[in-house]
Amino acid sequence: MAGADRIIVALGAVPAVPDIPGIDGEKVLGVMEAHEYPERIMGDRIVICGGGMSGCDLALELAMEGKQVAIVEMLDELAKTALLDNRNPLMFRLEDYKVQQFTGTKVLAIEKDGVVVETADGAKKTLPADTVIHAFGMTSVSRLAAEIAEKYPTTAIIGDCVKVGQVDGAVRNGFFAGWSIH
């Protein structure tokens, strides 16, 4: 790398996995694992922890397969940062398929019988689950990118390792980084 005229670093992001008791249990999957290995999704009662676009999309897919799906989201809305053109039809479909929506709700623990949550009004309850899927978003892989940039001043850091975003932003950043090379 030392002889390079320009270095472009786009290391991406990794799934965010908060320190929640039981999150490493055998009936718990990450959202990407659930897509890659659908055979690991057991039973019909599914709780998805995290109500961003990834969690909501997977919830709809599973509900369309006949599963009983619940989404737990800490914010007051599901898919809050999604474009309205994507979000609105998704919300209607989630309702059509009777996906339970627990907004303003915090995941406290994942236990053998389900997910222990605390609702917006402070009530604690357990949502029954055969499989729990966590979709808490992504975390930038920024430390290594910063180390490379510190060592090589011609480095451009782009994409999710700067700030986790949508694919359109990453593609745009990649285009302009490539275009800047003369």
Side-chain angles (χ1 to χ4, degrees), residues 32-85:
M32 294 191 313
E33 284 177 278
H35 281 294
E36 192 170 349
Y37 305 104
E39 67 277 5
R40 292 185 186 168
I41 300 171
M42 300 296 162
D44 287 326
R45 299 173 306 167
I46 313 299
V47 174
I48 298 179
C49 303
M53 282 300 291
S54 296
C56 290
D57 282 341
L58 182 58
L60 180 58
E61 289 175 31
L62 294 172
M64 291 172 76
E65 293 173 9
K67 306 282 187 193
Q68 300 167 20
V69 183
I71 303 172
V72 179
E73 171 57 46
M74 204 162 77
L75 298 176
D76 59 345
E77 295 179 49
L78 297 180
K80 192 169 187 161
T81 61
L83 296 172
L84 288 179
D85 290 347

Coordinates of all heavy atoms in Angstrom, one line a residue, residues 32-85:
M32 N -29.2 -11.4 9.3 CA -28.5 -11.9 8.1 C -28.5 -13.4 8.2 O -28.6 -14.1 7.1 CB -27.2 -11.3 8.0 CG -27.3 -9.8 7.7 SD -25.8 -8.9 7.3 CE -24.5 -9.4 8.4
E33 N -28.3 -14.0 9.4 CA -28.3 -15.5 9.5 C -29.6 -16.0 9.1 O -29.7 -17.1 8.4 CB -28.0 -15.9 10.9 CG -26.6 -15.8 11.4 CD -26.6 -16.2 12.9 OE1 -26.9 -15.3 13.7 OE2 -26.3 -17.4 13.2
A34 N -30.7 -15.3 9.5 CA -32.1 -15.8 9.2 C -32.3 -15.8 7.7 O -33.0 -16.7 7.2 CB -33.1 -14.9 9.9
H35 N -31.8 -14.9 7.0 CA -31.9 -14.9 5.5 C -31.0 -16.0 4.9 O -31.4 -16.6 3.9 CB -31.5 -13.5 4.9 CG -32.6 -12.5 5.1 ND1 -33.8 -12.6 4.4 CD2 -32.6 -11.3 5.8 CE1 -34.5 -11.5 4.7 NE2 -33.8 -10.8 5.5
E36 N -29.8 -16.1 5.4 CA -28.9 -17.1 4.8 C -29.2 -18.5 5.1 O -29.0 -19.4 4.3 CB -27.5 -16.7 5.3 CG -26.4 -17.5 4.5 CD -25.0 -17.0 4.8 OE1 -24.8 -15.9 5.5 OE2 -24.0 -17.7 4.4
Y37 N -29.7 -18.7 6.4 CA -30.0 -20.1 6.8 C -31.5 -20.2 7.3 O -31.7 -20.4 8.5 CB -29.1 -20.5 7.9 CG -27.6 -20.4 7.6 CD1 -26.8 -19.4 8.0 CD2 -27.0 -21.3 6.7 CE1 -25.5 -19.2 7.7 CE2 -25.7 -21.2 6.4 CZ -24.9 -20.2 6.9 OH -23.6 -20.1 6.5
P38 N -32.4 -20.1 6.4 CA -33.8 -20.1 6.9 C -34.3 -21.4 7.6 O -35.2 -21.3 8.4 CB -34.6 -19.8 5.6 CG -33.7 -20.2 4.5 CD -32.3 -20.0 5.0
E39 N -33.5 -22.4 7.3 CA -33.9 -23.7 8.0 C -33.6 -23.6 9.5 O -34.1 -24.5 10.3 CB -33.1 -24.9 7.4 CG -31.6 -24.8 7.6 CD -30.8 -24.0 6.6 OE1 -31.4 -23.3 5.8 OE2 -29.5 -24.0 6.7
R40 N -32.9 -22.6 10.0 CA -32.6 -22.5 11.4 C -33.8 -21.8 12.1 O -33.8 -21.7 13.4 CB -31.3 -21.7 11.6 CG -30.1 -22.4 11.2 CD -28.8 -21.6 11.6 NE -27.6 -22.3 11.0 CZ -26.5 -21.7 11.0 NH1 -26.3 -20.5 11.5 NH2 -25.4 -22.3 10.5
I41 N -34.7 -21.3 11.4 CA -35.9 -20.6 12.0 C -36.8 -21.7 12.4 O -37.4 -22.4 11.5 CB -36.5 -19.6 11.0 CG1 -35.5 -18.5 10.7 CG2 -37.8 -19.0 11.7 CD1 -36.0 -17.6 9.5
M42 N -37.0 -21.9 13.7 CA -37.8 -23.0 14.2 C -39.2 -22.5 14.7 O -39.3 -21.4 15.2 CB -37.1 -23.7 15.4 CG -35.7 -24.3 15.0 SD -36.0 -25.6 13.9 CE -34.4 -25.8 13.2
G43 N -40.2 -23.4 14.5 CA -41.5 -23.1 15.1 C -42.2 -22.0 14.3 O -41.8 -21.5 13.3
D44 N -43.4 -21.6 14.8 CA -44.2 -20.6 14.2 C -44.3 -19.3 14.9 O -44.7 -18.3 14.3 CB -45.7 -21.2 14.1 CG -45.8 -22.3 13.1 OD1 -45.1 -22.2 12.0 OD2 -46.6 -23.2 13.3
R45 N -43.8 -19.2 16.1 CA -43.9 -17.9 16.9 C -42.5 -17.3 16.8 O -41.5 -17.8 17.4 CB -44.3 -18.2 18.3 CG -45.6 -18.8 18.4 CD -46.0 -19.2 19.9 NE -44.9 -20.0 20.4 CZ -44.7 -20.3 21.7 NH1 -45.5 -19.9 22.6 NH2 -43.7 -21.1 22.0
I46 N -42.4 -16.2 16.1 CA -41.1 -15.5 15.8 C -41.2 -14.1 16.4 O -42.2 -13.4 16.2 CB -40.8 -15.4 14.3 CG1 -41.1 -16.7 13.6 CG2 -39.5 -14.8 14.1 CD1 -40.2 -17.9 14.0
V47 N -40.2 -13.7 17.2 CA -40.1 -12.4 17.7 C -38.8 -11.8 17.0 O -37.7 -12.3 17.1 CB -40.0 -12.3 19.2 CG1 -39.7 -10.8 19.7 CG2 -41.3 -12.8 19.8
I48 N -39.0 -10.6 16.4 CA -37.9 -9.9 15.8 C -37.6 -8.7 16.7 O -38.5 -7.8 16.9 CB -38.2 -9.5 14.3 CG1 -38.4 -10.8 13.5 CG2 -37.1 -8.6 13.8 CD1 -38.7 -10.5 12.1
C49 N -36.4 -8.6 17.2 CA -36.0 -7.5 18.0 C -35.2 -6.5 17.2 O -34.1 -6.7 16.7 CB -35.0 -8.0 19.1 SG -35.7 -9.3 20.1
G50 N -35.9 -5.4 16.9 CA -35.4 -4.3 16.1 C -36.3 -4.1 14.9 O -36.6 -5.0 14.1
G51 N -36.9 -2.9 14.8 CA -37.9 -2.6 13.8 C -37.4 -1.6 12.8 O -38.2 -0.8 12.3
G52 N -36.2 -1.7 12.3 CA -35.7 -1.0 11.2 C -36.2 -1.7 9.9 O -37.0 -2.7 10.0
M53 N -35.7 -1.3 8.8 CA -36.1 -1.9 7.5 C -35.8 -3.4 7.4 O -36.6 -4.2 7.0 CB -35.5 -1.2 6.3 CG -36.2 0.1 6.0 SD -38.0 -0.1 5.5 CE -37.9 -1.0 4.0
S54 N -34.6 -3.8 7.9 CA -34.3 -5.2 7.8 C -35.2 -6.1 8.7 O -35.7 -7.1 8.2 CB -32.8 -5.4 8.3 OG -31.9 -4.8 7.5
G55 N -35.5 -5.6 9.9 CA -36.4 -6.4 10.8 C -37.8 -6.4 10.2 O -38.4 -7.5 10.2
C56 N -38.3 -5.3 9.7 CA -39.6 -5.3 9.1 C -39.8 -6.1 7.9 O -40.8 -6.8 7.7 CB -40.0 -3.8 8.9 SG -40.3 -2.8 10.3
D57 N -38.8 -6.0 7.0 CA -38.8 -6.8 5.8 C -38.9 -8.3 6.1 O -39.7 -9.1 5.5 CB -37.6 -6.6 4.9 CG -37.7 -5.3 4.1 OD1 -38.8 -4.7 3.9 OD2 -36.7 -4.8 3.6
L58 N -38.0 -8.7 7.0 CA -38.0 -10.2 7.4 C -39.3 -10.5 8.1 O -39.8 -11.6 7.8 CB -36.8 -10.5 8.3 CG -36.7 -11.9 8.7 CD1 -36.6 -12.9 7.5 CD2 -35.5 -12.1 9.7
A59 N -39.8 -9.7 8.9 CA -41.1 -9.9 9.6 C -42.2 -10.2 8.5 O -43.0 -11.1 8.7 CB -41.5 -8.8 10.5
L60 N -42.2 -9.4 7.5 CA -43.3 -9.6 6.5 C -43.0 -10.9 5.7 O -44.0 -11.6 5.5 CB -43.2 -8.4 5.5 CG -44.2 -8.5 4.3 CD1 -45.7 -8.6 4.9 CD2 -44.1 -7.3 3.4
E61 N -41.8 -11.2 5.4 CA -41.5 -12.4 4.7 C -42.0 -13.6 5.5 O -42.7 -14.5 5.0 CB -40.0 -12.6 4.4 CG -39.5 -11.7 3.4 CD -38.0 -11.8 3.3 OE1 -37.4 -12.9 3.5 OE2 -37.3 -10.8 2.9
L62 N -41.7 -13.6 6.8 CA -42.1 -14.8 7.7 C -43.6 -14.8 7.9 O -44.2 -15.9 7.9 CB -41.3 -14.7 9.0 CG -39.8 -14.8 8.9 CD1 -39.2 -14.5 10.3 CD2 -39.4 -16.2 8.4
A63 N -44.2 -13.7 8.0 CA -45.7 -13.6 8.1 C -46.3 -14.2 6.9 O -47.4 -14.9 6.9 CB -46.1 -12.2 8.5
M64 N -45.8 -13.8 5.7 CA -46.3 -14.3 4.5 C -46.2 -15.9 4.3 O -46.9 -16.5 3.6 CB -45.7 -13.6 3.3 CG -46.1 -12.1 3.2 SD -45.1 -11.2 2.0 CE -45.9 -11.8 0.5
E65 N -45.2 -16.4 5.1 CA -45.1 -17.9 5.1 C -46.0 -18.5 6.1 O -46.0 -19.7 6.3 CB -43.6 -18.2 5.4 CG -42.6 -17.9 4.4 CD -41.2 -18.1 4.8 OE1 -41.0 -18.7 5.9 OE2 -40.3 -17.6 4.1
G66 N -46.8 -17.7 6.8 CA -47.7 -18.3 7.8 C -47.3 -18.2 9.2 O -47.9 -18.7 10.1
K67 N -46.1 -17.6 9.5 CA -45.6 -17.5 10.9 C -46.3 -16.4 11.6 O -46.8 -15.5 11.1 CB -44.1 -17.2 10.9 CG -43.2 -18.1 10.0 CD -43.0 -19.4 10.7 CE -41.9 -20.2 9.9 NZ -41.8 -21.6 10.4
Q68 N -46.4 -16.6 13.0 CA -46.9 -15.6 13.9 C -45.7 -14.7 14.3 O -44.9 -15.2 15.0 CB -47.6 -16.2 15.1 CG -48.7 -17.1 14.8 CD -49.1 -18.0 16.0 OE1 -48.8 -17.6 17.1 NE2 -49.7 -19.1 15.7
V69 N -45.7 -13.4 13.8 CA -44.5 -12.6 14.0 C -44.9 -11.4 14.8 O -45.9 -10.8 14.7 CB -44.0 -12.2 12.6 CG1 -42.7 -11.4 12.8 CG2 -43.7 -13.4 11.7
A70 N -43.9 -11.1 15.7 CA -44.0 -9.8 16.5 C -42.7 -9.1 16.3 O -41.6 -9.7 16.2 CB -44.2 -10.1 18.0
I71 N -42.8 -7.8 16.2 CA -41.6 -6.9 16.1 C -41.5 -6.0 17.3 O -42.5 -5.4 17.7 CB -41.7 -5.9 14.9 CG1 -41.8 -6.7 13.6 CG2 -40.4 -5.1 14.8 CD1 -42.1 -5.8 12.4
V72 N -40.3 -6.0 18.0 CA -40.1 -5.1 19.1 C -39.2 -4.0 18.7 O -38.1 -4.3 18.3 CB -39.5 -5.9 20.3 CG1 -39.3 -5.0 21.5 CG2 -40.4 -7.1 20.7
E73 N -39.6 -2.8 18.9 CA -38.8 -1.6 18.5 C -38.8 -0.6 19.6 O -39.8 -0.3 20.2 CB -39.4 -1.0 17.2 CG -38.8 0.4 16.8 CD -37.3 0.3 16.6 OE1 -36.8 -0.6 16.0 OE2 -36.6 1.2 17.2
M74 N -37.6 -0.1 20.0 CA -37.5 0.8 21.1 C -38.0 2.2 20.7 O -38.5 2.9 21.5 CB -36.0 0.9 21.4 CG -35.7 1.4 22.8 SD -34.1 1.0 23.4 CE -33.1 2.2 22.6
L75 N -37.9 2.6 19.4 CA -38.4 3.9 19.0 C -39.9 3.9 18.9 O -40.5 2.8 19.0 CB -37.8 4.3 17.6 CG -36.2 4.4 17.5 CD1 -35.8 4.6 16.1 CD2 -35.8 5.5 18.5
D76 N -40.5 5.0 18.7 CA -41.9 5.2 18.6 C -42.6 4.7 17.3 O -43.8 4.7 17.2 CB -42.4 6.6 19.0 CG -41.8 7.6 18.1 OD1 -40.9 7.3 17.3 OD2 -42.3 8.8 18.1
E77 N -41.8 4.4 16.3 CA -42.3 4.0 15.0 C -41.4 2.9 14.4 O -40.2 2.9 14.7 CB -42.2 5.1 14.0 CG -43.1 6.3 14.2 CD -42.9 7.4 13.1 OE1 -43.0 7.0 12.0 OE2 -42.8 8.5 13.5
L78 N -41.9 2.0 13.6 CA -41.1 1.1 12.9 C -40.6 1.8 11.6 O -41.2 2.7 11.1 CB -42.0 -0.1 12.4 CG -42.6 -1.0 13.5 CD1 -43.4 -2.1 12.9 CD2 -41.6 -1.5 14.5
A79 N -39.4 1.3 11.2 CA -38.7 1.8 10.0 C -38.8 3.3 9.9 O -39.1 3.9 8.9 CB -39.4 1.1 8.8
K80 N -38.4 3.9 11.0 CA -38.6 5.4 11.1 C -37.8 6.2 10.1 O -38.2 7.2 9.6 CB -38.2 5.8 12.5 CG -38.6 7.2 12.9 CD -38.4 7.5 14.3 CE -38.9 8.9 14.6 NZ -39.2 9.0 16.0
T81 N -36.6 5.7 9.7 CA -35.8 6.5 8.8 C -35.9 6.0 7.3 O -35.3 6.6 6.4 CB -34.3 6.3 9.1 OG1 -33.9 4.9 9.1 CG2 -34.0 6.8 10.5
A82 N -36.8 5.1 7.0 CA -37.0 4.6 5.7 C -37.7 5.7 4.8 O -38.5 6.5 5.3 CB -37.9 3.4 5.7
L83 N -37.5 5.7 3.5 CA -38.2 6.5 2.6 C -39.7 6.2 2.6 O -40.1 5.0 2.7 CB -37.7 6.3 1.2 CG -36.2 6.7 0.9 CD1 -35.8 6.3 -0.5 CD2 -36.0 8.2 1.1
L84 N -40.5 7.2 2.6 CA -42.0 7.0 2.7 C -42.5 6.1 1.6 O -43.4 5.3 1.8 CB -42.7 8.3 2.7 CG -42.6 9.2 3.9 CD1 -43.4 10.5 3.8 CD2 -43.1 8.4 5.2
D85 N -41.9 6.2 0.4 CA -42.3 5.3 -0.7 C -42.1 3.9 -0.4 O -42.8 3.0 -1.0 CB -41.6 5.7 -2.0 CG -42.1 7.0 -2.5 OD1 -43.1 7.6 -2.1 OD2 -41.4 7.6 -3.4

